[in-house]
Amino acid sequence: MTTEQFINQNEAARLNALRDLKILDTSPSESFDRLTRMASRLLGAPVSAISLTDHDRQWFKSRVGVDLQEIPREQAPCSYAIQGSGVFVVPDLLEDERFRTSPLAKAGIRFYAGAPLVTRAGFGLGAMTVIDDKPRQIGADERRTLQDLAGMVMAQIEIQNMIGRVDATTGYPNQHQLFEDLEQQATQHPRRNAAAVLVEIMTASAIAHATRVLGTSHADTVAKRAMQAIQRGVGNSARLYHVGQMRCVVLGDVETPRATTIARQVMLTLAEPIPCGGVPVNFDLVVGCYDFVTGEAAAEDVLRRLLNAGDDAREADGRIASYDPVHDQRMARSFALVNDFSAALAADDQLQLVYQPRIELATGRVLGVEALLRWCHPTLGNVPPGEFVPLVEQTALVRPMTEWVFAAAIRQTLAWTRSGLDLCVSVNVSARNLDESDFAERLLRAVREAHLDTRHLELEFTESATARDQASLTSQLEVLHEAGIAIAIDDFGTGYSNASYIQHLPVSVLKVDRSFVTDLATSERSAKLVRSMVAMARDLGYRVVAEGIETQEVYDLLVAFGCDEGQGYFMAKPMPASDIKVRLGKANQLKVA
C-alpha cells in the first residue's frame, strides 16, 4: 500500500467514525454551548467553537461570537489540528503561508488555537477552538485548559452516544455497543485470536412461566442477577453485553485462549441457584462458543455465528456447542432463500405448479390432481419444496405465496375445464393461512372473479393445523365448505387431532400419510394401522386417500383395505400441466408414459 492509499483509507475510516456518532447537522445543545462559553472566558477569546471536520467543510456544533454554521474545509486550521495530539496554534494567520489566503484570514481572523477531539480509536473528529482578531500567543496553562475542554467535549459526545447503547434493565452494554467494540478490537488488534460466548440464561417457556407466576419484573431481576454473577465469574478483563431478554454475550480479550474456557466458567458460576427477589432460581443454560480472528468477520456476523452456536447447544446434551461453519452455511442458505422469495413471486420464470394425479384405486380413473409448488432459483437451481416452503411459512410471505398458488391453480383449472377435462384440483394451505381472518373471503372472491365452479377445488391442510384456534379454524372452513369447496386433512395419522375432533370440522377427505404407506407390504404393524385407519375413516363417512404408493403390492393391499384413492410414483410422478392433458385418455385413464 502506498502512502497516499494509506492516508485515503485512514481518512475514510475517520469520516465513518464521525458519521457513526450521528452528531453532524444536529440541533444546538446547551451542554456543548456551555463549554464554548467557558472556553471564551478562560482563554479571553472573543470567538470559540466546537468544530467538526467533515469531508469538505468545517461544521460548528457550537459556537460563540460568530454566526457562521460552517466554513469550507480548504485551508481551515482545524484540518491540521485533527492530525496531532497536542494543541495546534497559529499565532497570526497572515504570517503563516498555509493560511494567509484562507477564508478565515480574509474574514479578519488572525489567531487560532485548537485542541483535537479524538475518539478512543484514535480518530480526530474536529477541534475545540478559540479564535481572535488579533495576533497572540498562549502559554502552557492555557494549552492544558483547552485540552481539558476538548476532553470534556468528547466525554459529552460519548455520553450522548451511549444513549441507546446501554440496556436500561441490567445496566450492561447492549448489542450496538458490542458491534462497536468488536470493530474497535479489530482496529486495535488486527488479526489476533479472540473468543466470545453467547449465554441463554433461560428458555422462552421458562421465562413465560416465571412471568405468569411471579410477574413481569421477575424476568428482569433474573437477567440482572445472572449477568452480575457471570461478570464476577469471568472477571473484569472480559466484557459483558445484554443482547436479548435472557441472552448475553461475553467477549474475551485477545489473550483469552478459547471460548470454551469462558463457557465452562459461566456454567460453573451459574451451577447453583441464585436468589432473585427472595426466590432461588435455577438456570437452564445453553452456551454457544465462537473462536475467531479479529477483523476476519463483520461484527454482525460474529453475533450471528454465536446465535447459530447457541441453537446447536440447545440441541446438545452437554448444553455447550461451538460454532459450526457447515451449519452456518445451511442457515445462510435458508436466509438467502427467504430473502429471494419475494423476487420469485414477482418473476415470471421462477415459480411453477406441477400436478400429481390422484387415482381412484378400484377403477384406475384419475379423479383429480394435487397442485405442488416448485421453485427454480436463478442461481441455486431447483430448490426442494420441503426446504423452502417451511421457511416461507415462518414469515409474512406465506400469505402472498398461497395467493400465488391459488391464482395459478385457478387459471389452470379453468383451462382444463374449457378443454373438456373434468378434474378436481387440490391445493395445499399453510396452518398460518388459517389464522388470517379474511382467508376464506379472499379465496372465494378469487374463485368468483374467475367464474370457476367450486366443485373443481379442494383445500388441503395438515392434521397439525387442527391444533390451532378451533373457533377460527371451524368458521373459516365452514364458509369454504358451504360454498362447495371440498376440505381434506393431509398427513393424517401424524398430527394432534383425533376422530371426535375432526367430526366437528367440515372435512370430507382424509389423506393417510406416506410414512404409513411406504412399508405397508413389509411391515405388519403398518398394515394393521392403515387397515384400521381406512376402516375407521370410511365408517365415519370420509373418503380416504393414500399417499406415497410406490409398488404394485402396496397398491393391491390398499385396494383390499377399501382405500378410495391413492397418489404415488407407482402411478404417476408430479408433472407439468401440459403433460396432464397428454397423459389422460378416455374416461380419465392414465396412459403409460
Side-chain angles (χ1 to χ4, degrees):
M1 181 184 296
T2 66
T3 301
E4 182 180 0
Q5 289 174 326
F6 176 79
I7 291 173
N8 291 338
Q9 187 180 67
N10 193 61
E11 173 65 4
R14 188 195 69 79
L15 289 171
N16 286 335
L18 175 61
R19 288 182 171 82
D20 285 345
L21 292 171
K22 296 179 176 60
I23 193 172
L24 282 172
D25 300 309
T26 54
S27 301
S29 169
E30 176 60 22
S31 58
F32 289 102
D33 291 345
R34 188 178 298 115
L35 294 172
T36 53
R37 292 195 297 267
M38 187 182 300
S40 285
R41 287 196 302 269
L42 292 175
L43 281 85
V47 179
S48 63
I50 297 171
S51 173
L52 300 174
T53 305
D54 200 0
H55 174 67
D56 55 2
R57 61 173 177 157
Q58 292 293 148
W59 182 80
F60 301 127
K61 172 60 182 172
S62 176
R63 73 266 190 203
V64 170
V66 64
D67 291 331
L68 293 174
Q69 182 66 68
E70 61 182 54
I71 62 173
R73 179 177 174 178
E74 183 183 6
Q75 293 182 295
C78 285
S79 293
Y80 291 81
I82 64 173
Q83 297 175 19
S85 58
V87 177
F88 180 71
V89 179
V90 183
D92 188 347
L93 269 66
L94 292 179
E95 296 297 324
D96 193 312
E97 62 181 12
R98 296 171 295 181
F99 308 113
R100 63 167 56 105
T101 61
S102 69
L104 283 179
K106 290 179 179 179
I109 300 301
R110 303 291 295 275
F111 166 79
Y112 171 92
L117 306 174
V118 183
T119 69
R120 295 184 182 185
F123 294 115
L125 305 179
M128 175 79 244
T129 65
V130 289
I131 298 171
D132 206 333
D133 57 0
K134 302 179 182 62
R136 56 182 284 192
Q137 291 281 358
I138 61 172
D141 287 344
E142 290 176 308
R143 289 173 182 262
R144 283 193 291 270
T145 297
L146 196 57
Q147 284 183 307
D148 287 343
L149 289 169
M152 294 169 70
V153 170
M154 283 307 304
Q156 184 63 36
I157 291 174
E158 289 179 354
I159 289 171
Q160 289 196 357
N161 199 49
M162 283 298 289
I163 297 173
R165 292 177 181 268
V166 173
D167 181 79
T169 301
T170 61
Y172 283 92
N174 63 13
Q175 177 176 307
H176 298 294
Q177 190 62 51
L178 169 64
F179 290 164
E180 182 173 308
D181 289 350
L182 284 167
E183 290 169 357
Q184 184 174 333
Q185 189 183 64
T187 301
Q188 294 181 341
H189 305 285
R191 308 296 302 172
R192 296 277 293 276
N193 291 330
V197 302
L198 178 130
V199 184
E200 186 171 292
I201 299 166
M202 292 177 70
T203 63
S205 59
I207 296 169
H209 177 72
T211 300
R212 287 194 299 270
V213 175
L214 300 171
T216 55
S217 63
H218 180 71
D220 295 338
T221 302
V222 169
K224 187 173 183 177
R225 295 289 172 81
M227 290 184 66
Q228 289 171 342
I230 291 171
Q231 186 71 77
R232 290 193 298 270
V234 299
N236 292 328
S237 62
R239 285 169 284 176
L240 192 60
Y241 305 85
H242 192 176
V243 298
Q245 184 181 16
M246 284 290 170
R247 281 177 175 166
C248 64
V249 168
V250 183
L251 181 62
D253 59 30
V254 291
E255 303 302 327
T256 302
R258 298 284 294 176
T260 50
T261 302
I262 302 174
R264 284 192 291 268
Q265 186 59 55
V266 169
M267 298 294 286
L268 183 63
T269 299
L270 295 182
E272 299 297 326
I274 292 179
C276 299
V279 178
V281 174
N282 288 302
F283 299 100
D284 185 21
L285 301 178
V286 293
V287 182
C289 304
Y290 180 38
D291 294 294
F292 60 101
V293 176
T294 57
E296 197 172 65
E300 292 84 354
D301 286 333
V302 172
L303 180 57
R304 181 178 57 79
R305 292 172 182 181
L306 281 168
L307 290 168
N308 286 347
D311 290 340
D312 291 342
R314 194 176 296 107
E315 300 173 3
D317 294 336
R319 296 184 298 164
I320 296 178
S322 294
Y323 165 70
D324 182 355
V326 174
H327 178 237
D328 188 44
Q329 290 171 3
R330 290 197 299 268
M331 295 296 291
R333 176 181 167 93
S334 296
F335 176 79
L337 291 175
V338 172
N339 196 49
D340 294 346
F341 194 73
S342 291
L345 288 167
D348 296 329
D349 57 351
Q350 293 191 38
L351 299 179
Q352 73 165 129
L353 291 183
V354 294
Y355 300 87
Q356 185 172 31
R358 222 165 78 180
I359 312 297
E360 186 175 48
L361 296 179
T363 65
R365 291 178 61 244
V366 178
L367 300 182
V369 292
E370 180 180 358
L372 301 167
L373 183 60
R374 296 292 186 264
W375 182 12
C376 183
H377 191 280
T379 57
L380 300 175
N382 292 320
V383 183
E387 180 180 9
F388 75 85
V389 171
L391 294 173
V392 173
E393 286 181 332
Q394 300 306 310
T395 73
L397 290 171
V398 65
R399 178 169 173 146
M401 177 180 73
T402 302
E403 288 180 342
W404 189 99
V405 170
F406 267 114
I410 288 171
R411 286 195 303 270
Q412 185 57 57
T413 306
L414 276 174
W416 282 331
T417 302
R418 289 166 181 164
S419 68
L421 197 59
D422 188 20
L423 291 174
C424 178
V425 178
S426 186
V427 179
N428 291 280
V429 175
S430 167
R432 291 278 298 275
N433 292 130
L434 298 175
D435 290 336
E436 301 165 6
S437 60
D438 62 342
F439 171 72
E441 176 188 344
R442 292 186 352 259
L443 173 56
L444 290 177
R445 183 167 59 247
V447 172
R448 285 194 299 268
E449 290 175 353
H451 303 290
L452 178 68
D453 190 333
T454 54
R455 71 182 181 84
H456 288 293
L457 278 183
E458 180 181 86
L459 184 147
E460 287 186 27
F461 63 96
T462 61
E463 187 180 358
S464 58
T466 64
R468 306 178 85 82
D469 180 16
Q470 182 176 357
S472 174
L473 175 69
T474 302
S475 63
Q476 295 261 27
L477 297 183
E478 284 179 346
V479 169
L480 295 168
H481 177 71
E482 289 171 4
I485 294 178
I487 307 297
I489 292 183
D490 196 12
D491 301 338
F492 182 68
T494 64
Y496 307 98
S497 61
N498 53 59
S500 62
Y501 174 53
I502 291 175
Q503 287 186 85
H504 296 292
L505 298 175
V507 172
S508 55
V509 176
L510 299 182
K511 300 187 73 175
V512 180
D513 186 67
R514 67 180 59 250
S515 62
F516 299 105
V517 175
T518 302
D519 59 350
L520 190 61
T522 57
S523 170
E524 185 178 349
R525 179 180 176 82
S526 292
K528 289 180 179 179
L529 282 171
V530 172
R531 184 189 295 113
S532 299
M533 282 192 281
V534 171
M536 177 199 71
R538 297 198 66 183
D539 286 345
L540 292 173
Y542 299 111
R543 192 166 180 83
V544 186
V545 181
E547 299 180 294
I549 302 173
E550 297 184 359
T551 67
Q552 181 70 58
E553 191 174 3
V554 169
Y555 186 104
D556 293 341
L557 281 171
L558 288 166
V559 172
F561 293 165
C563 186
D564 299 292
E565 300 177 46
Q567 285 176 248
Y569 281 18
F570 173 67
M571 296 90 78
K573 296 180 180 180
M575 62 187 75
S578 57
D579 289 359
I580 292 290
K581 183 71 174 176
V582 174
R583 292 284 306 276
L584 291 186
K586 293 182 179 180
N588 280 19
Q589 295 284 344
L590 271 175
K591 296 178 183 177
V592 177

